[in-house]
Amino acid sequence: MLFHVMMNVHIPQGFDQEKLKQLQSEEHERARELQLQGKWLHLWRVAGKYANVSVFEVESPAEFHEVLSSLPLYPFMEVEVAALCRHPGALEPNK
Ligand SMILES: O=C(O)C[C@H]1C=CC(=O)O1
């Protein structure tokens, strides 16, 4: 199953900068793992925002939830999700 996700990260004002750096480093490591596992197919920065557009491929909505909530920055994210399916006009079977 494919999921399109928009993640907006909101760090509370005055949040400890060292703790933030640590969380960001853990987040990058987790993102790396998920990309290497083939679950995080696309990861794009939204220009000018602390936000990304991503596409995940997972087995089920339950796995998707597990993956997303495993992200260290998840508690600071506003997330918009759309489940994807193949478009009949798409030229190639795409992921
Ligand atoms: O920077 C972000 O958009 C937040 C998060 C998503 C992947 C990652 O490494 O950090």
Side-chain angles (χ1 to χ4, degrees):
M1 301 183 75
L2 292 171
F3 289 92
H4 173 278
V5 189
M6 171 91 163
M7 301 180 212
N8 270 288
V9 184
H10 301 289
I11 305 298
Q13 211 164 8
F15 192 81
D16 184 89
Q17 289 303 298
E18 281 311 307
K19 190 155 191 212
L20 178 58
K21 273 188 203 155
Q22 180 62 36
L23 279 171
Q24 286 168 327
S25 157
E26 290 167 13
E27 177 82 18
H28 290 315
E29 182 50 34
R30 183 67 182 129
R32 183 176 182 276
E33 282 171 7
L34 290 164
Q35 287 172 81
L36 291 173
Q37 289 169 11
K39 294 180 194 290
W40 198 329
L41 300 185
H42 291 273
L43 171 55
W44 294 92
R45 174 63 73 222
V46 179
K49 296 180 89 174
Y50 193 2
N52 71 75
V53 167
S54 293
V55 175
F56 289 84
E57 183 170 36
V58 290
E59 292 299 316
S60 64
E63 185 189 6
F64 174 67
H65 185 77
E66 196 177 296
V67 162
L68 207 60
S69 56
S70 76
L71 300 177
L73 286 173
Y74 180 72
F76 303 99
M77 286 175 184
E78 176 196 347
V79 180
E80 278 176 47
V81 180
L84 303 178
C85 58
R86 184 169 155 67
H87 192 289
L91 291 182
E92 290 179 24
N94 43 16
K95 280 195 166 185

Coordinates of all heavy atoms in Angstrom, one line a residue:
M1 N 0.8 -1.2 0.0 CA 0.0 0.0 0.0 C 0.9 1.2 0.0 O 1.9 1.3 0.7 CB -0.9 0.1 1.3 CG -1.8 -1.1 1.5 SD -2.8 -0.9 3.0 CE -3.9 0.3 2.4
L2 N 0.4 2.2 -0.8 CA 1.2 3.5 -0.9 C 0.5 4.6 -0.1 O -0.8 4.7 -0.2 CB 1.3 3.9 -2.3 CG 2.2 3.0 -3.2 CD1 2.1 3.4 -4.7 CD2 3.7 3.1 -2.8
F3 N 1.2 5.4 0.6 CA 0.7 6.5 1.3 C 1.5 7.8 1.0 O 2.7 7.7 1.1 CB 0.7 6.3 2.9 CG -0.3 5.2 3.3 CD1 0.1 3.9 3.5 CD2 -1.6 5.6 3.7 CE1 -0.8 3.0 3.9 CE2 -2.5 4.7 4.1 CZ -2.1 3.3 4.2
H4 N 0.8 8.8 0.7 CA 1.4 10.1 0.5 C 1.2 10.9 1.8 O 0.1 10.8 2.4 CB 0.6 10.9 -0.6 CG 1.1 12.3 -0.8 ND1 0.6 13.3 0.0 CD2 1.9 12.8 -1.7 CE1 1.2 14.4 -0.4 NE2 2.0 14.2 -1.4
V5 N 2.3 11.5 2.3 CA 2.3 12.1 3.6 C 2.9 13.5 3.5 O 3.9 13.7 2.8 CB 3.1 11.3 4.6 CG1 2.9 11.9 6.0 CG2 2.7 9.9 4.6
M6 N 2.2 14.5 4.1 CA 2.8 15.8 4.2 C 3.1 16.0 5.7 O 2.1 15.8 6.5 CB 1.8 16.9 3.8 CG 2.2 18.3 4.1 SD 3.1 18.9 2.8 CE 3.0 20.7 3.1
M7 N 4.3 16.2 6.1 CA 4.7 16.3 7.5 C 5.1 17.7 7.7 O 6.1 18.2 7.1 CB 5.8 15.4 7.9 CG 5.6 13.9 7.7 SD 7.1 13.0 8.2 CE 6.9 11.6 7.0
N8 N 4.5 18.4 8.6 CA 4.9 19.8 9.0 C 5.4 19.7 10.5 O 4.7 19.2 11.3 CB 3.6 20.7 9.1 CG 3.5 21.4 7.7 OD1 4.2 22.3 7.4 ND2 2.4 21.0 7.0
V9 N 6.6 20.1 10.7 CA 7.2 20.0 12.0 C 7.1 21.3 12.7 O 7.4 22.4 12.2 CB 8.7 19.6 11.9 CG1 9.3 19.4 13.3 CG2 8.9 18.3 11.0
H10 N 6.5 21.2 13.9 CA 6.3 22.4 14.8 C 7.1 22.2 16.1 O 6.7 21.4 16.9 CB 4.9 22.7 15.1 CG 4.0 22.8 13.9 ND1 4.0 23.9 13.1 CD2 3.1 22.0 13.3 CE1 3.2 23.8 12.1 NE2 2.6 22.6 12.2
I11 N 8.2 22.9 16.2 CA 9.0 22.8 17.4 C 8.5 24.0 18.4 O 8.5 25.1 18.0 CB 10.5 23.0 17.1 CG1 11.0 22.0 16.1 CG2 11.3 22.9 18.4 CD1 10.8 20.5 16.5
P12 N 8.2 23.6 19.6 CA 7.7 24.7 20.5 C 8.8 25.7 20.8 O 9.9 25.4 20.8 CB 7.4 23.9 21.8 CG 7.3 22.5 21.5 CD 8.1 22.3 20.2
Q13 N 8.3 27.0 20.9 CA 9.3 28.1 21.2 C 10.0 27.8 22.5 O 9.4 27.3 23.4 CB 8.5 29.4 21.3 CG 9.3 30.5 20.8 CD 8.5 31.8 20.5 OE1 7.3 31.8 20.8 NE2 9.1 32.8 20.0
G14 N 11.3 28.0 22.5 CA 12.1 27.8 23.7 C 12.5 26.4 23.9 O 13.1 26.1 25.0
F15 N 12.2 25.5 23.0 CA 12.6 24.1 23.1 C 14.1 24.0 23.2 O 14.8 24.7 22.4 CB 12.1 23.3 21.9 CG 12.1 21.8 22.1 CD1 11.2 21.1 22.9 CD2 13.2 21.0 21.6 CE1 11.3 19.7 23.1 CE2 13.3 19.7 21.7 CZ 12.3 19.0 22.5
D16 N 14.6 23.1 24.1 CA 16.1 23.0 24.3 C 16.8 22.6 23.0 O 16.4 21.6 22.3 CB 16.3 21.9 25.3 CG 17.7 21.7 25.7 OD1 18.2 22.4 26.6 OD2 18.4 20.9 25.0
Q17 N 17.7 23.4 22.6 CA 18.4 23.3 21.2 C 19.2 22.0 21.1 O 19.3 21.4 20.1 CB 19.3 24.5 20.9 CG 18.4 25.8 20.6 CD 17.5 25.6 19.5 OE1 17.9 25.3 18.3 NE2 16.2 25.7 19.8
E18 N 19.9 21.6 22.3 CA 20.7 20.4 22.3 C 19.8 19.2 22.1 O 20.1 18.3 21.3 CB 21.5 20.3 23.6 CG 22.7 21.1 23.6 CD 23.6 21.0 22.3 OE1 23.9 19.8 22.0 OE2 23.9 22.0 21.7
K19 N 18.6 19.2 22.8 CA 17.7 18.1 22.7 C 17.1 18.0 21.3 O 16.9 17.0 20.7 CB 16.5 18.3 23.7 CG 15.7 17.1 23.8 CD 14.9 17.0 25.1 CE 14.3 15.6 25.1 NZ 13.1 15.5 25.8
L20 N 16.9 19.2 20.7 CA 16.4 19.3 19.3 C 17.4 18.6 18.3 O 17.0 17.8 17.5 CB 16.1 20.7 18.9 CG 15.6 20.9 17.5 CD1 14.3 20.1 17.2 CD2 15.3 22.4 17.2
K21 N 18.7 19.0 18.5 CA 19.7 18.5 17.6 C 19.8 16.9 17.7 O 19.9 16.2 16.7 CB 21.1 19.0 18.0 CG 21.4 20.3 17.3 CD 22.8 20.8 17.5 CE 23.0 22.3 17.4 NZ 24.1 22.8 18.1
Q22 N 19.6 16.5 19.0 CA 19.7 15.0 19.2 C 18.5 14.3 18.5 O 18.6 13.3 17.8 CB 19.6 14.8 20.7 CG 19.6 13.3 21.2 CD 20.9 12.6 20.7 OE1 22.0 13.2 20.7 NE2 20.7 11.3 20.3
L23 N 17.3 14.9 18.7 CA 16.1 14.4 18.0 C 16.2 14.4 16.5 O 15.8 13.4 15.8 CB 14.8 15.2 18.4 CG 14.2 14.9 19.8 CD1 13.1 15.9 20.1 CD2 13.6 13.5 19.8
Q24 N 16.8 15.5 16.0 CA 16.9 15.6 14.5 C 17.9 14.5 14.0 O 17.7 13.9 13.0 CB 17.4 17.0 14.1 CG 16.3 18.0 14.2 CD 16.8 19.4 14.1 OE1 17.9 19.7 14.6 NE2 15.9 20.3 13.6
S25 N 19.0 14.3 14.8 CA 19.9 13.3 14.4 C 19.3 11.9 14.4 O 19.5 11.0 13.5 CB 21.2 13.4 15.3 OG 21.9 12.2 15.4
E26 N 18.5 11.6 15.5 CA 17.8 10.3 15.6 C 16.8 10.2 14.4 O 16.6 9.1 13.9 CB 17.1 10.2 16.9 CG 18.1 10.0 18.1 CD 17.4 10.2 19.5 OE1 16.2 10.2 19.5 OE2 18.2 10.3 20.4
E27 N 16.1 11.3 14.1 CA 15.1 11.3 13.0 C 15.8 10.9 11.7 O 15.3 10.1 10.9 CB 14.5 12.7 12.9 CG 13.5 12.8 11.8 CD 12.1 12.3 12.2 OE1 11.8 12.1 13.3 OE2 11.3 12.1 11.2
H28 N 17.0 11.5 11.4 CA 17.7 11.2 10.1 C 18.1 9.8 10.1 O 18.0 9.1 9.0 CB 18.9 12.1 10.0 CG 18.5 13.6 9.7 ND1 17.6 14.0 8.8 CD2 19.0 14.7 10.2 CE1 17.5 15.3 8.8 NE2 18.3 15.8 9.6
E29 N 18.5 9.2 11.2 CA 18.9 7.8 11.3 C 17.7 6.9 11.0 O 17.8 6.0 10.2 CB 19.6 7.5 12.6 CG 20.1 6.1 12.8 CD 21.0 5.6 11.6 OE1 21.7 6.5 11.1 OE2 20.9 4.4 11.3
R30 N 16.6 7.2 11.6 CA 15.4 6.4 11.4 C 14.9 6.5 10.0 O 14.5 5.5 9.4 CB 14.3 6.9 12.4 CG 13.0 6.1 12.3 CD 13.2 4.7 12.8 NE 12.0 3.9 12.7 CZ 11.9 2.7 12.1 NH1 13.0 2.1 11.7 NH2 10.7 2.1 12.1
A31 N 15.0 7.7 9.4 CA 14.6 7.9 8.0 C 15.5 7.1 7.1 O 15.0 6.5 6.1 CB 14.6 9.4 7.7
R32 N 16.8 7.1 7.4 CA 17.7 6.3 6.6 C 17.4 4.8 6.6 O 17.3 4.2 5.6 CB 19.1 6.6 7.2 CG 20.2 5.9 6.5 CD 21.6 6.3 7.0 NE 22.6 5.7 6.3 CZ 23.1 4.4 6.5 NH1 22.5 3.7 7.4 NH2 24.0 3.9 5.7
E33 N 17.1 4.3 7.9 CA 16.7 2.9 8.0 C 15.5 2.6 7.1 O 15.5 1.6 6.4 CB 16.3 2.6 9.4 CG 17.5 2.4 10.4 CD 16.9 2.3 11.9 OE1 15.7 2.2 12.1 OE2 17.8 2.3 12.7
L34 N 14.5 3.4 7.3 CA 13.2 3.1 6.6 C 13.4 3.2 5.0 O 12.8 2.5 4.3 CB 12.1 4.1 7.0 CG 11.6 3.8 8.5 CD1 10.9 5.0 9.0 CD2 10.8 2.5 8.5
Q35 N 14.3 4.1 4.6 CA 14.6 4.2 3.1 C 15.3 3.0 2.7 O 15.0 2.4 1.6 CB 15.4 5.5 2.8 CG 14.5 6.7 2.9 CD 15.3 8.0 2.8 OE1 15.7 8.4 1.7 NE2 15.7 8.6 3.9
L36 N 16.3 2.5 3.5 CA 17.1 1.4 3.1 C 16.2 0.1 3.1 O 16.4 -0.8 2.4 CB 18.3 1.2 4.1 CG 19.4 2.2 3.9 CD1 20.4 2.1 5.0 CD2 20.0 2.1 2.5
Q37 N 15.2 0.1 4.0 CA 14.2 -1.0 4.0 C 13.2 -1.0 2.9 O 12.4 -1.9 2.7 CB 13.5 -1.1 5.4 CG 14.3 -1.4 6.6 CD 13.6 -1.2 7.9 OE1 12.4 -0.9 7.9 NE2 14.3 -1.2 9.0
G38 N 13.2 0.1 2.1 CA 12.3 0.2 1.0 C 10.9 0.7 1.4 O 10.0 0.6 0.6
K39 N 10.8 1.1 2.6 CA 9.4 1.5 3.1 C 9.2 3.0 2.8 O 8.0 3.5 2.7 CB 9.3 1.3 4.6 CG 9.3 -0.2 4.9 CD 9.1 -0.4 6.4 CE 9.4 -1.9 6.8 NZ 8.5 -2.9 6.3
W40 N 10.3 3.8 2.8 CA 10.1 5.3 2.6 C 10.7 5.5 1.2 O 11.9 5.7 1.0 CB 10.9 6.0 3.7 CG 10.6 7.5 3.9 CD1 10.1 8.3 2.9 CD2 10.7 8.2 5.1 NE1 9.9 9.6 3.5 CE2 10.3 9.5 4.8 CE3 11.1 7.9 6.4 CZ2 10.2 10.5 5.8 CZ3 11.1 8.9 7.4 CH2 10.6 10.2 7.1
L41 N 9.8 5.6 0.2 CA 10.2 5.7 -1.2 C 10.7 7.1 -1.6 O 11.5 7.2 -2.4 CB 9.1 5.3 -2.1 CG 8.5 3.9 -1.9 CD1 7.4 3.6 -3.0 CD2 9.6 2.8 -1.9
H42 N 10.0 8.1 -1.1 CA 10.3 9.5 -1.5 C 10.4 10.3 -0.3 O 9.5 10.2 0.6 CB 9.3 10.1 -2.5 CG 9.3 9.4 -3.8 ND1 10.1 9.9 -4.8 CD2 8.6 8.4 -4.3 CE1 9.9 9.1 -5.9 NE2 9.0 8.2 -5.6
L43 N 11.3 11.2 -0.2 CA 11.4 12.2 0.9 C 11.9 13.5 0.3 O 13.1 13.6 -0.2 CB 12.4 11.7 1.9 CG 12.8 12.7 3.0 CD1 11.6 13.2 3.8 CD2 13.8 12.0 4.0
W44 N 11.0 14.5 0.2 CA 11.3 15.8 -0.4 C 11.1 16.9 0.6 O 10.0 16.9 1.3 CB 10.3 16.0 -1.6 CG 10.5 15.1 -2.7 CD1 9.9 13.9 -2.9 CD2 11.4 15.2 -3.8 NE1 10.3 13.3 -4.1 CE2 11.3 14.1 -4.6 CE3 12.4 16.2 -4.1 CZ2 12.1 13.9 -5.8 CZ3 13.1 16.0 -5.3 CH2 13.0 14.9 -6.1
R45 N 12.0 17.8 0.7 CA 11.8 19.0 1.5 C 10.8 19.9 0.8 O 10.8 20.0 -0.5 CB 13.2 19.7 1.6 CG 13.1 21.1 2.3 CD 12.7 21.0 3.8 NE 13.6 20.5 4.7 CZ 13.3 19.6 5.7 NH1 12.0 19.2 5.9 NH2 14.2 19.1 6.5
V46 N 9.9 20.5 1.5 CA 9.0 21.5 1.0 C 9.8 22.8 1.1 O 10.2 23.3 2.2 CB 7.7 21.6 1.7 CG1 6.8 22.8 1.2 CG2 6.9 20.3 1.7
A47 N 10.1 23.4 -0.1 CA 11.0 24.6 -0.1 C 10.5 25.7 0.8 O 9.3 26.0 0.8 CB 11.2 25.1 -1.5
G48 N 11.3 26.2 1.7 CA 11.0 27.3 2.6 C 10.2 26.9 3.8 O 9.9 27.8 4.6
K49 N 10.0 25.6 4.1 CA 9.2 25.3 5.3 C 10.0 24.1 6.0 O 10.7 23.4 5.4 CB 7.8 24.7 4.9 CG 7.0 25.8 4.2 CD 5.6 25.2 3.9 CE 4.6 25.4 5.0 NZ 3.3 24.9 4.6
Y50 N 9.7 24.0 7.3 CA 10.2 22.8 8.0 C 9.1 21.8 7.8 O 8.4 21.4 8.7 CB 10.4 23.1 9.5 CG 11.2 22.1 10.2 CD1 11.7 20.9 9.6 CD2 11.5 22.2 11.6 CE1 12.5 20.0 10.3 CE2 12.2 21.3 12.3 CZ 12.7 20.1 11.6 OH 13.4 19.2 12.3
A51 N 9.1 21.3 6.6 CA 8.1 20.3 6.2 C 8.6 19.4 5.1 O 9.6 19.8 4.4 CB 6.8 21.1 5.7
N52 N 8.0 18.2 4.9 CA 8.4 17.4 3.8 C 7.2 16.7 3.2 O 6.1 16.6 3.9 CB 9.4 16.3 4.3 CG 8.8 15.3 5.2 OD1 8.1 14.4 4.7 ND2 9.1 15.4 6.5
V53 N 7.4 16.3 2.0 CA 6.4 15.5 1.3 C 7.0 14.1 1.1 O 8.2 14.1 0.6 CB 6.0 16.1 -0.1 CG1 5.2 15.1 -0.9 CG2 5.1 17.3 0.2
S54 N 6.4 13.1 1.5 CA 6.9 11.7 1.4 C 5.9 10.7 0.9 O 4.7 10.9 0.9 CB 7.3 11.3 2.9 OG 8.3 12.0 3.4
V55 N 6.5 9.6 0.3 CA 5.7 8.5 -0.1 C 6.2 7.3 0.6 O 7.4 7.0 0.5 CB 5.6 8.3 -1.6 CG1 4.9 7.1 -2.0 CG2 5.0 9.5 -2.3
F56 N 5.3 6.5 1.3 CA 5.7 5.3 2.0 C 5.0 4.1 1.3 O 3.9 4.2 0.8 CB 5.2 5.3 3.4 CG 5.9 6.3 4.3 CD1 5.6 7.6 4.3 CD2 7.0 5.8 5.1 CE1 6.3 8.5 5.1 CE2 7.7 6.7 5.9 CZ 7.3 8.0 5.9
E57 N 5.7 3.0 1.2 CA 5.1 1.7 0.8 C 5.2 0.7 1.9 O 6.3 0.4 2.4 CB 5.8 1.2 -0.4 CG 5.1 -0.1 -0.9 CD 5.6 -0.6 -2.3 OE1 6.8 -0.5 -2.5 OE2 4.8 -1.1 -3.0
V58 N 4.0 0.3 2.4 CA 3.9 -0.6 3.6 C 2.9 -1.6 3.3 O 2.1 -1.5 2.3 CB 3.6 0.2 4.8 CG1 4.7 1.1 5.3 CG2 2.3 1.0 4.6
E59 N 2.8 -2.6 4.2 CA 1.8 -3.7 4.0 C 0.4 -3.4 4.4 O -0.6 -3.9 3.8 CB 2.3 -4.9 4.8 CG 3.6 -5.6 4.4 CD 3.5 -6.1 2.9 OE1 2.4 -6.7 2.6 OE2 4.4 -5.9 2.2
S60 N 0.2 -2.5 5.3 CA -1.1 -2.2 5.9 C -1.2 -0.8 6.5 O -0.1 -0.3 6.9 CB -1.4 -3.3 6.9 OG -0.5 -3.1 8.0
P61 N -2.4 -0.3 6.8 CA -2.5 0.9 7.5 C -1.9 0.8 8.9 O -1.3 1.8 9.4 CB -4.1 1.1 7.6 CG -4.6 0.4 6.4 CD -3.7 -0.8 6.2
A62 N -2.0 -0.4 9.5 CA -1.4 -0.6 10.8 C 0.1 -0.4 10.8 O 0.7 0.2 11.7 CB -1.8 -1.9 11.4
E63 N 0.7 -1.0 9.7 CA 2.2 -0.8 9.6 C 2.5 0.6 9.4 O 3.5 1.1 9.9 CB 2.7 -1.7 8.5 CG 4.3 -1.6 8.5 CD 4.9 -2.3 7.3 OE1 4.3 -2.8 6.4 OE2 6.2 -2.3 7.3
F64 N 1.7 1.3 8.5 CA 2.0 2.7 8.2 C 2.0 3.5 9.5 O 2.8 4.3 9.8 CB 0.9 3.2 7.3 CG 1.1 4.7 7.0 CD1 2.2 5.2 6.4 CD2 0.1 5.6 7.5 CE1 2.3 6.6 6.2 CE2 0.2 6.9 7.3 CZ 1.3 7.4 6.7
H65 N 1.0 3.2 10.4 CA 0.8 4.0 11.6 C 2.1 3.7 12.5 O 2.6 4.6 13.1 CB -0.4 3.6 12.4 CG -0.7 4.4 13.6 ND1 -1.1 5.7 13.6 CD2 -0.4 4.1 14.9 CE1 -1.1 6.2 14.8 NE2 -0.7 5.2 15.6
E66 N 2.5 2.4 12.5 CA 3.6 2.0 13.4 C 4.9 2.8 12.9 O 5.7 3.3 13.7 CB 3.8 0.5 13.2 CG 4.7 -0.2 14.2 CD 4.7 -1.7 14.0 OE1 3.6 -2.3 14.1 OE2 5.7 -2.2 13.6
V67 N 5.1 2.8 11.5 CA 6.3 3.4 11.0 C 6.3 4.9 11.3 O 7.3 5.5 11.8 CB 6.3 3.2 9.4 CG1 7.2 4.2 8.7 CG2 6.7 1.8 9.1
L68 N 5.1 5.6 11.0 CA 5.1 7.0 11.2 C 5.3 7.4 12.7 O 6.0 8.3 13.0 CB 3.7 7.5 10.7 CG 3.7 9.0 10.3 CD1 4.7 9.2 9.1 CD2 2.3 9.4 9.9
S69 N 4.6 6.6 13.6 CA 4.8 7.0 15.0 C 6.1 6.6 15.6 O 6.4 6.9 16.7 CB 3.6 6.4 15.8 OG 3.5 5.1 15.6
S70 N 6.9 5.8 14.8 CA 8.2 5.5 15.3 C 9.2 6.6 15.1 O 10.4 6.6 15.5 CB 8.8 4.2 14.6 OG 9.2 4.5 13.3
L71 N 8.8 7.7 14.3 CA 9.7 8.8 14.0 C 10.0 9.6 15.3 O 9.0 10.0 16.0 CB 9.2 9.7 12.9 CG 8.9 9.0 11.6 CD1 8.3 9.9 10.6 CD2 10.2 8.4 11.0
P72 N 11.2 9.9 15.6 CA 11.5 10.6 16.8 C 10.8 12.0 16.9 O 10.5 12.5 18.0 CB 13.0 10.8 16.8 CG 13.5 9.5 16.1 CD 12.4 9.3 15.0
L73 N 10.6 12.6 15.7 CA 10.0 14.0 15.7 C 8.5 13.9 15.6 O 7.8 14.9 15.5 CB 10.5 14.8 14.6 CG 11.9 15.4 14.8 CD1 12.4 16.1 13.5 CD2 12.0 16.4 15.9
Y74 N 7.9 12.7 15.6 CA 6.5 12.5 15.4 C 5.6 13.3 16.4 O 4.6 13.9 16.0 CB 6.1 11.0 15.5 CG 4.7 10.7 15.3 CD1 4.0 10.8 14.1 CD2 3.9 10.3 16.4 CE1 2.7 10.5 13.9 CE2 2.5 10.1 16.3 CZ 1.9 10.2 15.0 OH 0.6 9.9 14.9
P75 N 6.0 13.4 17.7 CA 5.2 14.2 18.6 C 5.1 15.7 18.2 O 4.3 16.4 18.7 CB 6.0 14.0 19.9 CG 6.8 12.8 19.8 CD 7.2 12.7 18.3
F76 N 6.0 16.1 17.3 CA 6.0 17.5 16.9 C 5.5 17.8 15.5 O 5.6 18.8 15.0 CB 7.5 18.1 17.0 CG 8.1 17.9 18.4 CD1 8.9 16.9 18.6 CD2 7.8 18.8 19.4 CE1 9.5 16.7 19.9 CE2 8.3 18.7 20.6 CZ 9.2 17.6 20.9
M77 N 4.9 16.7 15.0 CA 4.5 16.8 13.6 C 3.0 16.9 13.4 O 2.2 16.3 14.2 CB 4.8 15.5 12.8 CG 6.3 15.4 12.5 SD 6.6 13.7 11.7 CE 8.4 13.8 11.6
E78 N 2.6 17.8 12.5 CA 1.2 17.8 12.0 C 1.3 17.0 10.7 O 2.1 17.3 9.8 CB 0.9 19.3 11.8 CG -0.5 19.6 11.2 CD -0.5 21.0 10.6 OE1 0.4 21.8 10.9 OE2 -1.5 21.2 9.9
V79 N 0.4 16.0 10.6 CA 0.6 15.1 9.5 C -0.7 15.0 8.7 O -1.8 14.9 9.2 CB 0.9 13.6 10.0 CG1 1.0 12.6 8.9 CG2 2.1 13.6 10.9
E80 N -0.6 15.1 7.4 CA -1.7 14.9 6.5 C -1.4 13.7 5.6 O -0.3 13.6 5.0 CB -1.9 16.1 5.5 CG -2.6 17.2 6.1 CD -2.6 18.4 5.1 OE1 -3.0 18.2 4.0 OE2 -2.3 19.5 5.6
V81 N -2.4 12.7 5.5 CA -2.1 11.5 4.9 C -3.1 11.3 3.8 O -4.3 11.6 3.9 CB -2.2 10.3 5.9 CG1 -2.0 9.0 5.2 CG2 -1.3 10.5 7.0
A82 N -2.7 10.7 2.6 CA -3.6 10.2 1.6 C -3.2 8.9 1.1 O -2.0 8.7 0.7 CB -3.6 11.2 0.4
A83 N -4.1 7.9 1.1 CA -3.8 6.6 0.6 C -3.8 6.7 -0.9 O -4.7 7.4 -1.5 CB -4.8 5.6 1.1
L84 N -2.9 6.1 -1.6 CA -2.8 6.2 -3.1 C -3.1 4.9 -3.8 O -2.9 3.8 -3.2 CB -1.3 6.6 -3.5 CG -0.8 7.8 -2.9 CD1 0.7 8.0 -3.3 CD2 -1.6 9.1 -3.2
C85 N -3.7 5.0 -4.9 CA -3.9 3.8 -5.8 C -3.5 4.2 -7.2 O -3.4 5.4 -7.5 CB -5.3 3.2 -5.7 SG -6.6 4.4 -6.1
R86 N -3.4 3.2 -8.1 CA -3.0 3.5 -9.4 C -4.0 4.3 -10.2 O -5.2 4.1 -10.1 CB -2.7 2.1 -10.1 CG -2.2 2.3 -11.5 CD -1.7 0.9 -12.1 NE -1.8 1.0 -13.5 CZ -1.0 1.7 -14.3 NH1 -0.1 2.5 -13.7 NH2 -1.1 1.7 -15.6
H87 N -3.4 5.3 -10.9 CA -4.3 6.1 -11.8 C -4.5 5.4 -13.1 O -3.5 5.0 -13.7 CB -3.6 7.5 -12.0 CG -4.6 8.5 -12.6 ND1 -5.0 8.4 -13.9 CD2 -5.2 9.6 -12.1 CE1 -5.8 9.4 -14.2 NE2 -6.0 10.1 -13.1
P88 N -5.7 5.3 -13.7 CA -5.9 4.6 -14.9 C -5.2 5.2 -16.1 O -4.9 4.6 -17.1 CB -7.4 4.6 -15.1 CG -7.9 5.7 -14.2 CD -7.0 5.8 -13.1
G89 N -4.9 6.5 -16.0 CA -4.2 7.2 -17.1 C -2.7 7.2 -17.0 O -2.0 7.7 -17.9
A90 N -2.1 6.6 -15.9 CA -0.7 6.5 -15.8 C -0.1 5.6 -16.8 O -0.7 4.5 -17.1 CB -0.3 6.1 -14.3
L91 N 1.0 6.0 -17.4 CA 1.6 5.2 -18.5 C 2.2 3.9 -18.1 O 2.2 2.9 -18.8 CB 2.7 6.0 -19.2 CG 2.1 7.2 -20.0 CD1 3.3 7.9 -20.8 CD2 1.0 6.8 -21.0
E92 N 2.8 3.9 -16.9 CA 3.5 2.7 -16.4 C 3.0 2.4 -15.0 O 2.6 3.2 -14.3 CB 5.0 3.0 -16.3 CG 5.7 3.2 -17.6 CD 7.2 3.6 -17.5 OE1 7.8 3.2 -16.4 OE2 7.7 4.2 -18.4
P93 N 3.1 1.1 -14.7 CA 2.8 0.7 -13.3 C 3.9 1.4 -12.5 O 5.1 1.2 -12.6 CB 3.0 -0.8 -13.3 CG 3.2 -1.2 -14.7 CD 3.6 0.0 -15.5
N94 N 3.4 2.4 -11.7 CA 4.4 3.1 -10.9 C 4.2 2.9 -9.4 O 3.1 2.5 -9.0 CB 4.3 4.6 -11.2 CG 2.8 5.0 -11.3 OD1 1.9 4.4 -10.9 ND2 2.6 6.2 -11.9
K95 N 5.2 3.2 -8.7 CA 5.2 3.1 -7.2 C 4.8 4.4 -6.6 O 5.1 5.4 -7.2 CB 6.5 2.6 -6.7 CG 6.7 1.1 -6.8 CD 7.9 0.7 -6.0 CE 7.8 -0.8 -5.9 NZ 8.8 -1.3 -4.9
Ligands
LIG1 O1 13.1 17.3 8.3 C1 11.9 16.9 8.2 O2 11.2 17.1 7.3 C2 11.4 16.0 9.4 C3 11.9 14.6 9.3 C4 11.5 13.8 8.2 C5 12.6 13.1 7.8 C6 13.7 13.5 8.5 O3 14.9 13.1 8.4 O4 13.3 14.5 9.4

